[in-house]
mmCIF file of all heavy atoms in Angstrom:
data_model
loop_
_atom_site.group_PDB
_atom_site.id
_atom_site.type_symbol
_atom_site.label_atom_id
_atom_site.label_comp_id
_atom_site.label_asym_id
_atom_site.label_seq_id
_atom_site.Cartn_x
_atom_site.Cartn_y
_atom_site.Cartn_z
ATOM 1 N N LEU A 315 217.222 -97.011 -113.858
ATOM 2 C CA LEU A 315 216.108 -96.297 -114.483
ATOM 3 C C LEU A 315 215.125 -95.716 -113.473
ATOM 4 O O LEU A 315 214.125 -95.110 -113.859
ATOM 5 C CB LEU A 315 215.350 -97.230 -115.440
ATOM 6 C CG LEU A 315 216.049 -97.592 -116.752
ATOM 7 C CD1 LEU A 315 215.218 -98.596 -117.534
ATOM 8 C CD2 LEU A 315 216.306 -96.343 -117.597
ATOM 9 N N THR A 316 215.407 -95.896 -112.187
ATOM 10 C CA THR A 316 214.447 -95.478 -111.163
ATOM 11 C C THR A 316 214.141 -93.988 -111.225
ATOM 12 O O THR A 316 212.977 -93.567 -111.190
ATOM 13 C CB THR A 316 214.955 -95.848 -109.762
ATOM 14 O OG1 THR A 316 215.090 -97.268 -109.666
ATOM 15 C CG2 THR A 316 213.997 -95.359 -108.689
ATOM 16 N N GLU A 317 215.178 -93.156 -111.306
ATOM 17 C CA GLU A 317 214.969 -91.708 -111.296
ATOM 18 C C GLU A 317 214.135 -91.266 -112.488
ATOM 19 O O GLU A 317 213.218 -90.442 -112.353
ATOM 20 C CB GLU A 317 216.316 -90.980 -111.282
ATOM 21 C CG GLU A 317 217.080 -91.095 -109.968
ATOM 22 C CD GLU A 317 216.318 -90.474 -108.805
ATOM 23 O OE1 GLU A 317 215.646 -89.431 -109.014
ATOM 24 O OE2 GLU A 317 216.388 -91.026 -107.697
ATOM 25 N N GLU A 318 214.425 -91.800 -113.648
ATOM 26 C CA GLU A 318 213.650 -91.441 -114.836
ATOM 27 C C GLU A 318 212.212 -91.930 -114.711
ATOM 28 O O GLU A 318 211.266 -91.219 -115.046
ATOM 29 C CB GLU A 318 214.310 -92.031 -116.086
ATOM 30 C CG GLU A 318 215.477 -91.235 -116.613
ATOM 31 C CD GLU A 318 215.084 -89.838 -117.071
ATOM 32 O OE1 GLU A 318 214.102 -89.716 -117.827
ATOM 33 O OE2 GLU A 318 215.723 -88.869 -116.632
ATOM 34 N N ALA A 319 212.046 -93.155 -114.213
ATOM 35 C CA ALA A 319 210.698 -93.713 -114.095
ATOM 36 C C ALA A 319 209.852 -92.921 -113.107
ATOM 37 O O ALA A 319 208.644 -92.739 -113.313
ATOM 38 C CB ALA A 319 210.777 -95.177 -113.691
ATOM 39 N N LEU A 320 210.473 -92.435 -112.031
ATOM 40 C CA LEU A 320 209.726 -91.696 -111.009
ATOM 41 C C LEU A 320 209.209 -90.343 -111.496
ATOM 42 O O LEU A 320 208.388 -89.721 -110.832
ATOM 43 C CB LEU A 320 210.593 -91.487 -109.762
ATOM 44 C CG LEU A 320 210.605 -92.630 -108.747
ATOM 45 C CD1 LEU A 320 211.610 -92.357 -107.645
ATOM 46 C CD2 LEU A 320 209.216 -92.852 -108.162
ATOM 47 N N LYS A 321 209.672 -89.896 -112.634
ATOM 48 C CA LYS A 321 209.148 -88.645 -113.182
ATOM 49 C C LYS A 321 207.699 -88.818 -113.638
ATOM 50 O O LYS A 321 206.949 -87.846 -113.717
ATOM 51 C CB LYS A 321 210.018 -88.181 -114.353
ATOM 52 C CG LYS A 321 211.412 -87.743 -113.940
ATOM 53 C CD LYS A 321 212.238 -87.321 -115.147
ATOM 54 C CE LYS A 321 213.646 -86.902 -114.735
ATOM 55 N NZ LYS A 321 214.476 -86.517 -115.920
ATOM 56 N N SER A 322 207.324 -90.056 -113.954
ATOM 57 C CA SER A 322 205.957 -90.327 -114.406
ATOM 58 C C SER A 322 205.209 -91.269 -113.481
ATOM 59 O O SER A 322 203.994 -91.134 -113.308
ATOM 60 C CB SER A 322 205.977 -90.936 -115.817
ATOM 61 O OG SER A 322 206.621 -90.083 -116.730
ATOM 62 N N ALA A 323 205.914 -92.231 -112.891
ATOM 63 C CA ALA A 323 205.264 -93.273 -112.093
ATOM 64 C C ALA A 323 205.001 -92.798 -110.670
ATOM 65 O O ALA A 323 205.776 -92.029 -110.101
ATOM 66 C CB ALA A 323 206.133 -94.524 -112.072
ATOM 67 N N LYS A 324 203.910 -93.285 -110.093
ATOM 68 C CA LYS A 324 203.644 -93.077 -108.672
ATOM 69 C C LYS A 324 204.306 -94.161 -107.830
ATOM 70 O O LYS A 324 204.550 -93.970 -106.644
ATOM 71 C CB LYS A 324 202.131 -93.064 -108.418
ATOM 72 C CG LYS A 324 201.412 -91.909 -109.100
ATOM 73 C CD LYS A 324 199.903 -92.004 -108.888
ATOM 74 C CE LYS A 324 199.175 -90.894 -109.631
ATOM 75 N NZ LYS A 324 197.701 -91.033 -109.520
ATOM 76 N N LEU A 325 204.573 -95.309 -108.452
ATOM 77 C CA LEU A 325 205.199 -96.420 -107.755
ATOM 78 C C LEU A 325 206.173 -97.108 -108.699
ATOM 79 O O LEU A 325 205.799 -97.485 -109.813
ATOM 80 C CB LEU A 325 204.137 -97.425 -107.280
ATOM 81 C CG LEU A 325 204.640 -98.684 -106.564
ATOM 82 C CD1 LEU A 325 205.340 -98.327 -105.256
ATOM 83 C CD2 LEU A 325 203.486 -99.643 -106.290
ATOM 84 N N VAL A 326 207.422 -97.244 -108.247
ATOM 85 C CA VAL A 326 208.444 -97.968 -109.004
ATOM 86 C C VAL A 326 208.966 -99.095 -108.120
ATOM 87 O O VAL A 326 209.346 -98.865 -106.965
ATOM 88 C CB VAL A 326 209.608 -97.051 -109.427
ATOM 89 C CG1 VAL A 326 210.675 -97.858 -110.168
ATOM 90 C CG2 VAL A 326 209.108 -95.906 -110.298
ATOM 91 N N LEU A 327 208.977 -100.298 -108.644
ATOM 92 C CA LEU A 327 209.458 -101.466 -107.921
ATOM 93 C C LEU A 327 210.596 -102.099 -108.714
ATOM 94 O O LEU A 327 210.493 -102.278 -109.932
ATOM 95 C CB LEU A 327 208.326 -102.479 -107.720
ATOM 96 C CG LEU A 327 207.163 -101.976 -106.846
ATOM 97 C CD1 LEU A 327 205.918 -102.799 -107.086
ATOM 98 C CD2 LEU A 327 207.544 -102.013 -105.380
ATOM 99 N N GLY A 328 211.682 -102.424 -108.007
ATOM 100 C CA GLY A 328 212.845 -102.972 -108.677
ATOM 101 C C GLY A 328 212.899 -104.480 -108.609
ATOM 102 O O GLY A 328 212.096 -105.119 -107.915
ATOM 103 N N PRO A 329 213.836 -105.087 -109.327
ATOM 104 C CA PRO A 329 214.033 -106.536 -109.249
ATOM 105 C C PRO A 329 214.241 -106.965 -107.793
ATOM 106 O O PRO A 329 214.968 -106.318 -107.043
ATOM 107 C CB PRO A 329 215.297 -106.760 -110.080
ATOM 108 C CG PRO A 329 215.310 -105.619 -111.053
ATOM 109 C CD PRO A 329 214.761 -104.444 -110.279
ATOM 110 N N GLY A 330 213.567 -108.046 -107.395
ATOM 111 C CA GLY A 330 213.612 -108.497 -106.008
ATOM 112 C C GLY A 330 212.466 -107.961 -105.175
ATOM 113 O O GLY A 330 212.277 -108.378 -104.029
ATOM 114 N N GLN A 331 211.679 -107.045 -105.744
ATOM 115 C CA GLN A 331 210.514 -106.475 -105.038
ATOM 116 C C GLN A 331 209.209 -106.819 -105.752
ATOM 117 O O GLN A 331 208.181 -106.179 -105.518
ATOM 118 C CB GLN A 331 210.655 -104.940 -104.944
ATOM 119 C CG GLN A 331 211.904 -104.459 -104.251
ATOM 120 C CD GLN A 331 211.845 -104.619 -102.743
ATOM 121 O OE1 GLN A 331 210.864 -105.125 -102.206
ATOM 122 N NE2 GLN A 331 212.888 -104.210 -102.050
ATOM 123 N N GLU A 332 209.239 -107.842 -106.590
ATOM 124 C CA GLU A 332 208.062 -108.164 -107.403
ATOM 125 C C GLU A 332 206.852 -108.545 -106.553
ATOM 126 O O GLU A 332 205.710 -108.297 -106.958
ATOM 127 C CB GLU A 332 208.381 -109.325 -108.361
ATOM 128 C CG GLU A 332 209.430 -108.989 -109.404
ATOM 129 C CD GLU A 332 210.850 -109.311 -108.939
ATOM 130 O OE1 GLU A 332 211.045 -109.513 -107.714
ATOM 131 O OE2 GLU A 332 211.749 -109.367 -109.792
ATOM 132 N N GLU A 333 207.074 -109.184 -105.401
ATOM 133 C CA GLU A 333 205.963 -109.626 -104.565
ATOM 134 C C GLU A 333 205.471 -108.541 -103.619
ATOM 135 O O GLU A 333 204.536 -108.770 -102.837
ATOM 136 C CB GLU A 333 206.367 -110.859 -103.754
ATOM 137 C CG GLU A 333 207.370 -110.585 -102.637
ATOM 138 C CD GLU A 333 208.814 -110.610 -103.098
ATOM 139 O OE1 GLU A 333 209.077 -110.293 -104.280
ATOM 140 O OE2 GLU A 333 209.685 -110.941 -102.294
ATOM 141 N N CYS A 334 206.091 -107.369 -103.685
ATOM 142 C CA CYS A 334 205.778 -106.291 -102.731
ATOM 143 C C CYS A 334 204.916 -105.214 -103.389
ATOM 144 O O CYS A 334 204.840 -105.104 -104.609
ATOM 145 C CB CYS A 334 207.070 -105.685 -102.194
ATOM 146 S SG CYS A 334 208.079 -106.870 -101.289
ATOM 147 N N TRP A 335 204.281 -104.439 -102.537
ATOM 148 C CA TRP A 335 203.450 -103.324 -103.001
ATOM 149 C C TRP A 335 203.302 -102.351 -101.847
ATOM 150 O O TRP A 335 203.339 -102.738 -100.671
ATOM 151 C CB TRP A 335 202.074 -103.821 -103.428
ATOM 152 C CG TRP A 335 201.213 -102.788 -104.110
ATOM 153 C CD1 TRP A 335 200.335 -101.922 -103.525
ATOM 154 C CD2 TRP A 335 201.159 -102.520 -105.513
ATOM 155 N NE1 TRP A 335 199.734 -101.147 -104.467
ATOM 156 C CE2 TRP A 335 200.220 -101.491 -105.700
ATOM 157 C CE3 TRP A 335 201.819 -103.061 -106.619
ATOM 158 C CZ2 TRP A 335 199.921 -100.988 -106.966
ATOM 159 C CZ3 TRP A 335 201.518 -102.557 -107.876
ATOM 160 C CH2 TRP A 335 200.575 -101.525 -108.038
ATOM 161 N N VAL A 336 203.147 -101.088 -102.170
ATOM 162 C CA VAL A 336 202.792 -100.083 -101.177
ATOM 163 C C VAL A 336 201.931 -99.046 -101.878
ATOM 164 O O VAL A 336 202.169 -98.721 -103.054
ATOM 165 C CB VAL A 336 204.059 -99.442 -100.550
ATOM 166 C CG1 VAL A 336 204.880 -98.704 -101.588
ATOM 167 C CG2 VAL A 336 203.692 -98.516 -99.393
ATOM 168 N N TRP A 337 200.877 -98.608 -101.210
ATOM 169 C CA TRP A 337 200.094 -97.498 -101.750
ATOM 170 C C TRP A 337 200.848 -96.216 -101.395
ATOM 171 O O TRP A 337 200.982 -95.889 -100.219
ATOM 172 C CB TRP A 337 198.691 -97.485 -101.154
ATOM 173 C CG TRP A 337 197.898 -98.714 -101.496
ATOM 174 C CD1 TRP A 337 197.553 -99.734 -100.672
ATOM 175 C CD2 TRP A 337 197.363 -99.048 -102.789
ATOM 176 N NE1 TRP A 337 196.844 -100.693 -101.354
ATOM 177 C CE2 TRP A 337 196.706 -100.305 -102.663
ATOM 178 C CE3 TRP A 337 197.381 -98.424 -104.042
ATOM 179 C CZ2 TRP A 337 196.073 -100.922 -103.741
ATOM 180 C CZ3 TRP A 337 196.752 -99.053 -105.115
ATOM 181 C CH2 TRP A 337 196.100 -100.275 -104.951
ATOM 182 N N PRO A 338 201.360 -95.467 -102.377
ATOM 183 C CA PRO A 338 202.306 -94.380 -102.096
ATOM 184 C C PRO A 338 201.800 -93.302 -101.146
ATOM 185 O O PRO A 338 202.580 -92.723 -100.396
ATOM 186 C CB PRO A 338 202.588 -93.806 -103.494
ATOM 187 C CG PRO A 338 202.348 -94.940 -104.426
ATOM 188 C CD PRO A 338 201.193 -95.692 -103.836
ATOM 189 N N ASP A 339 200.512 -93.012 -101.172
ATOM 190 C CA ASP A 339 199.997 -91.949 -100.319
ATOM 191 C C ASP A 339 199.173 -92.466 -99.141
ATOM 192 O O ASP A 339 198.408 -91.712 -98.529
ATOM 193 C CB ASP A 339 199.180 -90.936 -101.122
ATOM 194 C CG ASP A 339 198.056 -91.581 -101.921
ATOM 195 O OD1 ASP A 339 198.009 -92.828 -101.965
ATOM 196 O OD2 ASP A 339 197.231 -90.846 -102.488
#
Side-chain angles (χ1 to χ4, degrees):
L315 288 176
T316 298
E317 289 298 323
E318 279 297 311
L320 275 174
K321 292 179 181 179
S322 302
K324 296 176 183 176
L325 178 64
V326 178
L327 296 160
Q331 302 285 2
E332 295 90 344
E333 71 274 29
C334 298
W335 189 270
V336 63
W337 297 108
D339 55 352

